């Protein structure tokens, strides 16, 4: 970490900062320049976490340069990044709705879901062909057949496809059909998978791990970036909590925090956070209001017979309600809707 002093900082301001660092068991190295003084601070992660010098007299800025994630860090980025998925932008100036079925079940169900999604304002289609299920006896997805269905539905609707890859052995297949590859919550720290998707040159969405800290999440993104791929979208999807009436605890702070810690786009998935239809739109509203660059939701034409996560799928009135929110709220916050732009 470095602490940058203002040009008018006095010797006693500098001494006070050094004393502050020392009382937190850090080591301070004072470097005096022509116009200002910079204090380098060395210490363990915990020590650096505990030192907050930002409010001390004469301090202009504090910068952590010891972050274990560097390429995805906000440091040295004056503007947050916009990435493109099949021509659709995701970034700070636009708002992107990604919607579709949790799982690809049949060609008809996928097409109907995509049409519902598009009508609600989605410009990207989500849908899982490889499903990460808690039970090995639960529906695991249609695999390659599911990918082919997604590609057919893309042809008909024009919606680029976001779909999950679970295993390194499937990356080539998924990359052949997908416009963006999704790393699910359960694989956020599957480092071999992260490195492998980082090498294929297609956008990657990284969902926050079930109990991951912000730093762990960004280190996961760093694994992808380190392989040369900076086209990464972060997705907050709720974390494990002790509250049984909701599936996961939607962490709205993750949105502004990711925007402070990283230059990458951040979207939210209120469906997997809530696990129940009646909470999806309120959580989507909260995510958008907090500054999310997009929202990803599950939709299904007949949730009562869905093979995965029917309880959280939007349909009918709940989907209409979401459509109203995405048509109005992002614009109020100065965002334009992310229309498809080729190239
Ligand atoms: O996207 C859906 C996931 O595969 C699903 O949420 C997994 O959860 P479950 O297998 O515990 O139902
Ligand atoms: C499995 C999914 O989500 P998560 O990894 O967040 O559970 C999904 O989006 O299909």
């Amino acid at each position: 970490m470095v602490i940058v002093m203002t040009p008018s900082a006095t010797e006693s301001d500098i001494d006070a900062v050094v004393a502050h660092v020392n009382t937190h068991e850090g080591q301070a190295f004072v470097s005096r320049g022509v116009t200002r003084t910079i204090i380098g601070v060395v210490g363990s992660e915990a020590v650096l976490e505990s030192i907050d010098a930002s409010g001390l007299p004469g301090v202009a800025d504090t910068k952590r340069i010891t972050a274990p994630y560097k390429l995805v860090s906000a440091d040295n980025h004056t503007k947050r990044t916009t990435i493109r998925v099949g021509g659709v932008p995701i970034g700070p100036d636009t708002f992107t709705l990604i919607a579709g079925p949790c799982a690809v079940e049949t060609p008809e169900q996928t097409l109907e879901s995509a049409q519902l999604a598009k009508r609600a304002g989605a410009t990207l289609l989500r849908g899982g062909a490889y499903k990460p299920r808690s039970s090995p006896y639960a529906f695991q997805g249609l695999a390659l057949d599911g990918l082919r269905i997604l590609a057919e539905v893309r042809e008909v609707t024009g919606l680029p496809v976001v779909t999950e890859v679970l295993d390194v052995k499937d990356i080539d297949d998924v990359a052949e059909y997908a416009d963006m590859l999704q790393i699910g919550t359960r694989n956020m720290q599957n480092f071999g998978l992260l490195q492998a998707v980082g090498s294929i040159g297609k956008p990657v969405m990284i969902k926050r791990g079930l109990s991951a800290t912000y730093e762990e999440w960004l280190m996961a993104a760093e694994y992808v970036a380190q392989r040369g791929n900076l086209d990464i979208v972060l997705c907050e999807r709720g974390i494990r909590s002790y509250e049984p009436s909701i599936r996961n605890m939607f962490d709205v702070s993750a949105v502004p925090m990711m925007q402070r810690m990283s230059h990458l786009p951040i979207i939210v998935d209120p469906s997997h956070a809530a696990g129940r239809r009646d909470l999806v739109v309120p959580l989507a509203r909260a995510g958008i209001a907090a500054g999310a660059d997009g929202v990803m939701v599950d939709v299904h034409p007949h949730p009562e017979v869905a093979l995965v996560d029917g309880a959280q799928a939007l349909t009918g009135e709940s989907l209409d309600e979401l459509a109203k929110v995405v048509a109005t709220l992002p614009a109020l916050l100065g965002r334009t809707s992310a229309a498809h732009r080729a190239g």
Side-chain angles (χ1 to χ4, degrees):
M1 180 166 78
V2 294
I3 300 172
V4 183
M5 305 301 289
T6 60
S8 59
T10 62
E11 280 304 314
S12 68
D13 291 339
I14 294 167
D15 290 344
V17 171
V18 171
H20 178 79
V21 169
N22 291 339
T23 54
H24 288 83
E25 294 178 20
Q27 277 181 288
F29 298 90
V30 181
S31 227
R32 291 168 209 276
V34 179
T35 56
R36 59 175 66 200
T37 296
I38 294 177
I39 302 170
V41 180
V42 176
S44 67
E45 267 304 294
V47 164
L48 296 180
E49 283 288 342
S50 70
I51 297 171
D52 180 10
S54 54
L56 297 180
V59 172
D61 201 5
T62 60
K63 285 194 177 131
R64 291 283 297 274
I65 52 167
T66 52
Y69 53 89
K70 301 179 194 309
L71 299 166
V72 305
S73 159
D75 278 357
N76 306 321
H77 281 257
T78 48
K79 194 170 182 333
R80 295 200 302 110
T81 298
T82 295
I83 71 145
R84 288 184 177 277
V85 180
V88 175
I90 306 181
D93 302 322
T94 51
F95 174 81
T96 309
L97 178 64
I98 306 173
C102 187
V104 174
E105 299 169 9
T106 66
E108 296 75 22
Q109 166 260 2
T110 307
L111 180 58
E112 263 189 83
S113 302
Q115 286 165 337
L116 289 174
K118 197 170 177 178
R119 221 173 297 139
T123 47
L124 293 173
L125 171 66
R126 63 143 293 142
Y130 297 87
K131 294 307 300 176
R133 302 308 304 277
S134 304
S135 164
Y137 303 109
F139 175 62
Q140 304 284 314
L142 299 180
L144 201 48
D145 287 343
L147 293 176
R148 293 194 182 111
I149 292 171
L150 285 168
E152 283 161 19
V153 171
R154 173 175 51 205
E155 276 298 302
V156 177
T157 60
L159 296 175
V161 165
V162 182
T163 194
E164 179 162 354
V165 60
L166 288 180
D167 197 308
V168 172
K169 73 174 169 34
D170 301 318
I171 287 183
D172 289 344
D173 286 341
V174 177
E176 188 183 334
Y177 293 97
D179 296 284
M180 175 154 71
L181 283 78
Q182 177 174 320
I183 298 293
T185 191
R186 295 160 183 80
N187 268 320
M188 192 209 80
Q189 286 190 312
N190 182 337
F191 302 117
L193 183 63
L194 293 167
Q195 287 172 325
V197 295
S199 307
I200 53 145
K202 282 215 164 176
V204 178
M205 174 195 292
I206 304 181
K207 300 190 85 175
R208 183 178 179 185
L210 278 167
S211 60
T213 64
Y214 298 148
E215 193 171 84
E216 287 165 344
W217 191 8
L218 289 176
M219 287 192 285
E222 189 79 10
Y223 268 94
V224 175
Q226 203 199 33
R227 291 292 161 124
N229 186 356
L230 263 177
D231 287 341
I232 303 167
V233 177
L234 302 167
C235 178
E236 161 62 34
R237 47 80 70 207
I239 47 175
R240 270 283 162 87
S241 83
Y242 49 78
E243 174 50 54
S245 60
I246 47 172
R247 191 176 192 190
N248 293 289
M249 185 70 76
F250 180 57
D251 177 11
V252 77
S253 305
V255 174
M257 280 303 288
M258 284 303 109
Q259 292 172 348
R260 280 158 182 69
M261 295 170 80
S262 174
H263 59 91
L264 299 177
I266 165 85
I267 69 164
V268 296
D269 174 353
S271 302
H272 285 82
R276 41 188 276 189
R277 187 171 308 117
D278 63 328
L279 294 188
V280 173
V281 175
L283 296 191
R285 260 196 230 109
I288 297 169
D293 302 314
V295 166
M296 179 160 87
V297 290
D298 291 358
V299 305
H300 199 291
H302 308 289
E304 65 289 355
V305 294
L307 297 180
V308 191
D309 289 349
Q312 69 194 32
L314 296 182
T315 200
E317 276 178 24
S318 57
L319 190 54
D320 292 345
E321 203 189 337
L322 180 81
K324 274 191 212 130
V325 170
V326 301
T328 52
L329 189 51
L332 275 178
L333 297 166
R335 289 175 184 265
T336 55
S337 95
H340 180 277
R341 262 179 266 153

